[in-house]
Amino acid sequence: MTKFLLAVHVLAAIVAVGPVTVAASMFPPAARRALDPPPAGPRAADAVARVATVGLLHRICRVYAVVGVVVPVFGFATAKNMGVLGDAWLIASIVLTALAAAVLVVLVLPRQEAVVRGLLPEGAGDAGAAAAAGDGPAAGATGVTAGVAAAAATVRGAVTVTRRDTVRLAMFTGVFNLLWAAVTVLMIVRPGSTTGA
């Protein structure tokens, strides 16, 4: 049973946390590209695609963050079966996981949401934000709608987004990724562990 729980725990970490770390890392540079002035002529549609990409990356982070809850659930079940719930390496991993989750929920996701809203044209509102993220009835097959298409205009939404905001977001994302890297190392090395499993 322990091997099954461990396998599910590791697979859940790869499938759930992996996409969040990758999409969150891709978000700040994609947002900076979306902030660039829209190109003129036939490449004007590129600006719409940039905004749609930012919305999609935010949606990936949001959805997989929820799915990621199964990682600690199966982690606790595995640790209980292995009899290591009191080991220092596991307690450190739990603390770092909680910190990573807090950074994601408090610092990364809300700032991503603000950037997505800031890239939308004024008056797009909640429906436009949902469409940019690929949610709601206004979202087309590609997640790009008429409301989002207007984001190619130079006038941005009511929320002002600057390059400095994307740099700050990149910093918080880096902290999130470093915390997960530390958890991964602790899970592999397990300093002081005598389980051998």
Side-chain angles (χ1 to χ4, degrees):
M1 185 62 158
T2 300
K3 289 188 178 186
F4 169 76
L5 291 171
L6 182 59
V8 173
H9 173 62
V10 170
L11 286 172
I14 292 167
V15 170
V17 179
V20 174
T21 57
V22 172
S25 297
M26 292 173 65
F27 188 95
R32 282 191 287 277
R33 284 190 297 276
L35 283 170
D36 289 341
R43 296 200 55 215
D46 288 353
V48 176
R50 291 178 194 160
V51 174
T53 298
V54 171
L56 175 65
L57 291 171
H58 174 60
R59 184 176 186 199
I60 290 169
C61 290
R62 234 183 34 234
V63 170
Y64 281 97
V66 173
V67 174
V69 170
V70 301
V71 175
V73 169
F74 279 95
F76 276 112
T78 304
K80 183 179 177 196
N81 275 6
M82 292 174 66
V84 295
L85 278 174
D87 286 10
W89 66 269
L90 184 66
I91 293 169
S93 295
I94 291 169
V95 169
L96 292 175
T97 299
L99 285 173
V103 168
L104 181 66
V105 170
V106 175
L107 299 173
V108 175
L109 292 177
R111 282 174 170 78
Q112 285 183 351
E113 179 74 24
V115 169
V116 170
R117 288 186 182 278
L119 290 173
L120 295 175
E122 213 166 326
D126 292 335
D135 294 340
T142 62
V144 180
T145 65
V148 178
T154 55
V155 178
R156 297 292 182 197
V159 178
T160 303
V161 179
T162 65
R163 288 191 178 277
R164 176 174 277 178
D165 295 325
T166 64
V167 169
R168 192 173 297 121
L169 178 57
M171 178 189 68
F172 292 134
T173 301
V175 169
F176 169 76
N177 290 340
L178 283 173
L179 287 167
W180 272 116
V183 169
T184 303
V185 169
L186 280 172
M187 290 289 163
I188 293 169
V189 175
R190 294 181 299 162
S193 175
T194 58
T195 61

